[in-house]
Amino acid sequence: GTFWGASAGWVISQEKFFQNAGLDKIFSNFKLRASYGIVGNNQGINDFAFWSFFGSGLYGTNPSLAFSQAGNRDLRWETSKKTDIGLELGLLDGRMNIEATYFMNDVNNLILAEPQAPSRGIPGNSILQNVGSMTNKGLEFTLNYRVIQKKDFTWNSSFNITTLNNRVTALAAGGADIQPATSGLERPSMIRVGESIGSFYAVRTAGVNPANGQRIFLYRDGTQVQYNHAAPVAQRWTLLSNGAVAPRVADQANDGVIIGPALPTWTGGWENTFRYKNFDVSMLFFFSGGNYVYNGTRAGMLDQRSWNNTTDVLNRWQKPGDQTVIPRVVFGDNISNGSGVVISENIEKGDFLKLRNITVGY
């Protein structure tokens, strides 16, 4: 591949017209900058990913040869067209410095391991392909401020925040969805045109029926059904409205919907450093949010098969009228709490604020 880039900056505060206008008394620094470039990426794939390989082994005492990697001779560089437009400002004789940047990253020939039908006999049931394109765009803002500057006491503060809008704009095979698997059996993510990459995809739930302790699921059209693992197989799914046998089960294929993005839509940090004579204290806060997290551990640890549960199960439904989000206990039930089918109950908001570091010195 051939990739190139260019950048330019203009320090307006050094121009005579700026100084003649007296603006240098307000701004100690005023700079505009911009860049554009095309960057190639092949990270996240093994060497020689375009080749097909066979591997040797033993079947008992007999030597064997088996298909070990399905290559793709048409695999190309993933390319990112990056645009950045920024502004730098210095105020209060340099005590306050501000940086603001708009960025746009247009990714083409996106490299992903596209799932394949098991019947094709491809190792790992996936093959690397250039499946489409996506965009990342947003704003970056940084503020550095020397708040207090005294002989025996100083306080310096730095704040930054970045926003991100990620969208898949095209996929192969006519824009067909891609649903990658986790290391377990669940497929909680969806790659879909028009959505953030890897958005969570699940069947919606509406709590637990207080009358009988059964989990309430929603069909894609909003119809509410409930699940009873203790009933005969043909009668386990019933309509909440009248108790009649439901026309079908609730599953991701028919009833899954996009719940929200896995990628944070905003992240940032806030650092403060204080000094008093020979003592200094530094604190760094980190925050992130606008995204969701799939709690697969919770799904597994509320599964009613032969393994441990979390203490959340103590809050299960036990008698008519109980108000809870944990359904009644039925041995063997791996549906009601999301182990057998990905449910919105186990997709949680990912917003957080964390005090990451505290440093005290003398």
Side-chain angles (χ1 to χ4, degrees):
T2 302
F3 310 104
W4 61 274
S7 61
W10 181 20
V11 186
I12 303 176
S13 55
Q14 293 183 3
E15 300 290 348
K16 288 187 177 180
F17 72 84
F18 190 90
Q19 298 169 358
N20 292 337
L23 295 175
D24 58 330
K25 295 181 176 58
I26 302 174
F27 300 99
S28 56
N29 179 43
F30 194 113
K31 179 181 179 180
L32 297 176
R33 50 182 169 78
S35 65
Y36 179 83
I38 301 176
V39 178
N41 174 48
N42 63 357
Q43 299 301 305
I45 64 176
N46 297 324
D47 294 336
F48 312 110
F50 52 90
W51 285 111
S52 294
F53 290 123
F54 286 82
S56 61
L58 289 174
Y59 184 75
T61 59
N62 299 313
S64 63
L65 197 63
F67 193 23
S68 61
Q69 176 175 299
N72 178 4
R73 297 301 301 273
D74 295 324
L75 199 62
R76 303 187 302 279
W77 283 88
E78 181 178 295
T79 58
S80 299
K81 299 177 181 178
K82 298 175 178 285
T83 302
D84 288 272
I85 301 173
L87 170 70
E88 297 178 15
L89 294 176
L91 299 164
L92 305 176
D93 293 327
R95 284 182 59 187
M96 178 185 292
N97 291 283
I98 298 171
E99 292 187 26
T101 304
Y102 169 80
F103 65 89
M104 173 76 173
N105 185 8
D106 189 4
V107 183
N108 293 297
N109 298 322
L110 189 66
I111 299 175
L112 286 175
E114 187 171 28
Q116 304 292 310
S119 59
R120 296 193 66 187
I122 293 177
N125 296 326
S126 65
I127 186 170
L128 289 171
Q129 297 197 44
N130 298 101
V131 299
S133 60
M134 70 177 179
T135 60
N136 291 309
K137 57 185 177 181
L139 298 172
E140 295 177 337
F141 177 82
T142 301
L143 171 64
N144 296 307
Y145 186 29
R146 300 199 300 270
V147 185
I148 299 176
Q149 299 292 309
K150 301 292 185 181
K151 179 181 178 181
D152 292 332
F153 180 72
T154 62
W155 172 20
N156 295 327
S157 185
S158 178
F159 175 84
N160 70 84
I161 187 170
T162 299
T163 65
L164 175 65
N165 185 319
N166 172 271
R167 285 292 179 272
V168 176
T169 54
L171 289 174
D177 294 339
I178 298 175
Q179 195 172 7
T182 64
S183 57
L185 298 176
E186 301 96 339
R187 292 179 178 266
S189 302
M190 176 65 74
I191 302 174
R192 174 176 288 176
V193 174
E195 302 288 347
S196 177
I197 191 168
S199 292
F200 291 113
Y201 186 72
V203 177
R204 292 170 296 167
T205 58
V208 172
N209 186 346
N212 55 26
Q214 297 173 21
R215 168 78 68 196
I216 301 172
F217 296 77
L218 275 69
Y219 286 164
R220 191 172 291 168
D221 65 3
T223 301
Q224 294 184 326
V225 295
Q226 54 191 349
Y227 180 76
N228 179 12
H229 194 75
V233 174
Q235 301 173 17
R236 288 181 177 178
W237 292 92
T238 57
L239 295 172
L240 182 66
S241 58
N242 56 19
V245 175
R248 57 177 176 81
V249 305
D251 58 25
Q252 276 184 293
N254 294 299
D255 305 303
V257 298
I258 298 292
I259 302 298
L263 295 178
T265 58
W266 44 268
T267 57
W270 183 32
E271 184 173 21
N272 290 278
T273 301
F274 304 90
R275 182 189 61 81
Y276 176 70
K277 293 186 177 180
N278 294 333
F279 293 91
D280 61 82
V281 178
S282 178
M283 296 182 294
L284 173 61
F285 291 89
F286 178 73
F287 56 87
S288 175
N291 64 309
Y292 291 81
V293 176
Y294 176 61
N295 193 342
T297 301
R298 184 175 187 270
M301 295 298 285
L302 290 174
D303 193 321
Q304 295 303 312
R305 290 180 287 180
S306 300
W307 47 62
N308 291 335
N309 284 160
T310 66
T311 55
D312 289 348
V313 78
L314 298 175
N315 298 320
R316 68 196 182 279
W317 182 95
Q318 299 181 64
K319 63 183 186 303
D322 283 351
Q323 300 289 332
T324 177
V325 295
I326 309 297
R328 58 181 294 197
V329 169
V330 180
F331 180 73
D333 186 358
N334 70 330
I335 300 295
S336 297
N337 286 300
S339 184
V341 56
V342 178
I343 59 175
S344 60
E345 178 71 25
N346 296 324
I347 298 177
E348 305 168 350
K349 289 287 290 181
D351 303 355
F352 71 88
L353 170 66
K354 177 180 181 179
L355 178 55
R356 176 167 283 183
N357 289 318
I358 302 179
T359 304
V360 179
Y362 174 76

